[in-house]
Amino acid sequence: MLKKIIGTSLSFVVAVAMAIDGYLVFWKPHETSQAQTTSQTSQQAQSKSSSSTTASSSVSSQGKFKNGTYTGKATSTQWGDVQVKVTVSGGDLAKITVLQSPNTNQKSIGINQQVLPTYKKEALKAQSTKIQQVSGATETYKGFTGSLQNALNQAEA
Amino acid sequence: MSKKTTYHFPNTVINLINIPFTITFAVREVSPAVEIQLNLVTEEIYHELQTVDATFSPFRADSLVRRFQAGDWRLLTENADFSEVYGRCAAAEKATQGFFDPLFAGTYDPTGLVKGWAIERAYNRHLAPLLAEPAIIGVALNGGGDMQLGVQPYQDFSWGVGIENPQNLQEVIASYQLKNAAVATSGYAKRGTHIKPAAVMPLQQVTVVADHLVDADVWATAGMAAGETAFKPLIAAQQLSGLLVTDQELVGFAEGRWAHAQEASL
């Protein structure tokens, strides 16, 4: 048991060290570069450019986006890969297109297991139920205290 | 079958964006190690959801969504998350024949997709890996009634998911037993501002069960916007599974086909 605790706390310490290291290596420089680009942006905003930009490589001498197309990262979805494409003309946004590849191995949007609901309209009793989760239209938090889900959370902890 | 196993369901609740997010484990025994893990993962998920809110909230003046609305279109290619959500919204709008509409408010607002997307991603990043722990039999992330669920392979346990009665929020009207699945419910009673109601609306609530919460959520939202008549062909074409609640009846459907009501004890 003591071994386990020591092991767990050791690995936790290592994880924290890694996190700090990662923060210093990746995030910190990013933060400073962000600060730089922010000031750059505000300068451009003052110089009447309506489309200020942080991507210095794509900035022309006028401080505007170069004409052409820019694409975002592709994302795999149920309906195939999607990718956002921005077309710039005259240094400003001309068109947003969403490229969508057809989903070649289209599978049912359903689910990989048998799904038939059972029905019973009766008050749910938190202590004697086989239900742990409640699905309903999203409620405001105000209503949560008295909600079924809250009752289940309390009863089954 | 082996003898009946008793499960415990330690849980935590995060309140963010006016939505209660419940994180639940299914375990055979609540140990200090399990509790530590639950608290650690709750912290992680809290921070991740906070970042999503800061990025996508239409209510925060400094969010990327607001910047985009103000004309900063560079976000579309420069921010991976923003770009992904924009692309998903466009694909969802097309697949649902416009019933899911990120422009319903006249300006781009991905709120209707972001919650499901954020829950699914937080689940995949933080909860799913915990199923490798022998002690953690099941994990669930439920944000205001929309959830992503998982269970270790080769286990008897299933999550019991009750579907709320829109007429009486203290009742459930149906239930599912699910292992690895997502459930989303869309309805009137509450905060569904992302739903544009059809003229006549006997449809009160739509639940969709799918593998991924983004899909379940998009289709539940689209179903409410479409109404029963327009939604039924989409259910068949997309082979959806779920439950419609109209003012007259419950209509279950599984893989695009209508399921007959089965009265059973929960």
Side-chain angles (χ1 to χ4, degrees):
Chain A
M1 187 62 190
L2 186 66
K3 243 183 178 170
K4 213 173 185 179
I5 291 170
I6 292 170
T8 311
S9 43
L10 246 175
S11 58
F12 183 69
V13 168
V14 170
V16 168
M18 280 168 69
I20 293 171
D21 192 35
Y23 172 79
L24 290 175
V25 171
F26 296 113
W27 184 245
K28 213 48 193 285
H30 182 65
E31 221 171 39
T32 43
S33 76
Q34 241 181 7
Q36 279 164 5
T37 49
T38 308
S39 62
Q40 189 187 353
T41 307
S42 57
Q43 266 175 4
Q44 279 170 356
Q46 282 166 358
S47 64
K48 89 181 168 66
S49 163
S50 60
S51 63
S52 57
T53 176
T54 52
S56 52
S57 60
S58 55
V59 178
S60 71
S61 52
Q62 283 83 34
K64 287 191 164 191
F65 250 89
K66 272 184 192 164
N67 290 350
T69 56
Y70 302 84
T71 47
K73 202 180 89 210
T75 303
S76 165
T77 78
Q78 194 71 43
W79 309 291
D81 287 357
V82 292
Q83 193 171 19
V84 179
K85 186 175 89 174
V86 173
T87 308
V88 177
S89 164
D92 213 341
L93 172 68
K95 197 168 61 164
I96 301 171
T97 329
V98 177
L99 308 169
Q100 193 172 347
S101 68
N103 194 351
T104 43
N105 54 345
Q106 174 108 38
K107 76 179 180 66
S108 145
I109 238 166
I111 187 165
N112 294 321
Q113 54 194 297
Q114 189 66 16
V115 210
L116 287 172
T118 52
Y119 304 96
K120 181 138 197 178
K121 188 169 177 172
E122 73 171 19
L124 185 66
K125 288 182 185 64
Q127 293 82 1
S128 62
T129 182
K130 286 180 187 158
I131 288 172
Q132 300 88 36
Q133 304 290 337
V134 178
S135 185
T138 303
E139 273 216 278
T140 56
Y141 174 62
K142 217 175 165 188
F144 187 66
T145 316
S147 74
L148 265 185
Q149 186 66 58
N150 190 38
L152 289 174
N153 289 354
Q154 306 289 333
E156 303 191 349
Chain B
M1 293 297 277
S2 57
K3 71 181 166 88
K4 201 127 180 78
T5 318
T6 325
Y7 291 96
H8 302 272
F9 304 99
N11 59 79
T12 53
V13 177
I14 297 170
N15 300 303
L16 210 63
I17 333 167
N18 269 351
I19 297 169
F21 293 85
T22 301
I23 299 160
T24 314
F25 287 176
V27 295
R28 298 209 174 87
E29 197 184 340
V30 182
S31 66
V34 160
E35 283 176 344
I36 288 168
Q37 245 156 347
L38 179 61
N39 288 332
L40 281 176
V41 82
T42 300
E43 278 291 303
E44 289 169 5
I45 291 174
Y46 179 73
H47 288 302
E48 173 154 343
L49 294 177
Q50 246 184 346
T51 309
V52 169
D53 183 42
T55 306
F56 291 101
S57 170
F59 307 111
R60 286 169 176 264
D62 59 344
S63 76
L64 298 194
V65 163
R66 287 283 288 274
R67 271 172 56 191
F68 179 76
Q69 288 172 349
D72 190 354
W73 45 268
R74 297 162 307 153
L75 295 168
L76 287 176
T77 56
E78 287 173 7
N79 185 290
D81 286 355
F82 195 85
S83 183
E84 175 180 342
V85 165
Y86 191 93
R88 282 181 181 275
C89 279
E93 184 182 11
K94 194 172 155 199
T96 62
Q97 299 174 4
F99 288 116
F100 177 89
D101 182 7
L103 293 173
F104 76 96
T107 177
Y108 173 67
D109 181 349
T111 306
L113 188 127
V114 163
K115 192 180 86 166
W117 172 80
I119 291 172
E120 183 183 330
R121 192 172 72 159
Y123 171 91
N124 287 333
R125 285 181 173 176
H126 304 292
L127 285 174
L130 295 181
L131 292 175
E133 304 279 337
I136 300 174
I137 311 295
V139 289
L141 179 56
N142 178 347
D146 299 333
M147 66 199 77
Q148 189 80 45
L149 313 164
V151 175
Q152 275 181 12
Y154 316 115
Q155 293 285 351
D156 281 345
F157 176 72
S158 296
W159 287 105
V161 180
I163 308 303
E164 202 173 73
N165 178 0
Q167 310 276 25
N168 178 353
L169 304 184
Q170 294 300 313
E171 285 183 7
V172 298
I173 41 171
S175 72
Y176 288 92
Q177 294 292 320
L178 299 166
K179 289 185 183 292
N180 293 284
V183 186
T185 297
S186 196
Y188 265 144
K190 309 156 197 172
R191 70 161 64 214
T193 45
H194 54 284
I195 291 163
K196 43 173 192 185
V200 185
M201 185 52 81
L203 185 58
Q204 298 192 345
Q205 187 171 284
V206 176
T207 298
V208 175
V209 182
D211 287 334
H212 301 280
L213 185 53
V214 177
D215 298 324
D217 200 14
V218 160
W219 283 108
T221 306
M224 275 308 288
E228 192 178 355
T229 312
F231 190 39
K232 280 189 167 178
L234 289 171
I235 289 172
Q238 300 282 339
Q239 300 185 25
L240 302 177
S241 299
L243 179 72
L244 304 182
V245 183
T246 73
D247 52 4
Q248 302 291 322
E249 57 179 349
L250 300 179
V251 186
F253 48 99
E255 290 163 346
R257 284 196 278 272
W258 310 120
H260 297 291
Q262 297 170 324
E263 183 83 18
S265 63
L266 290 174

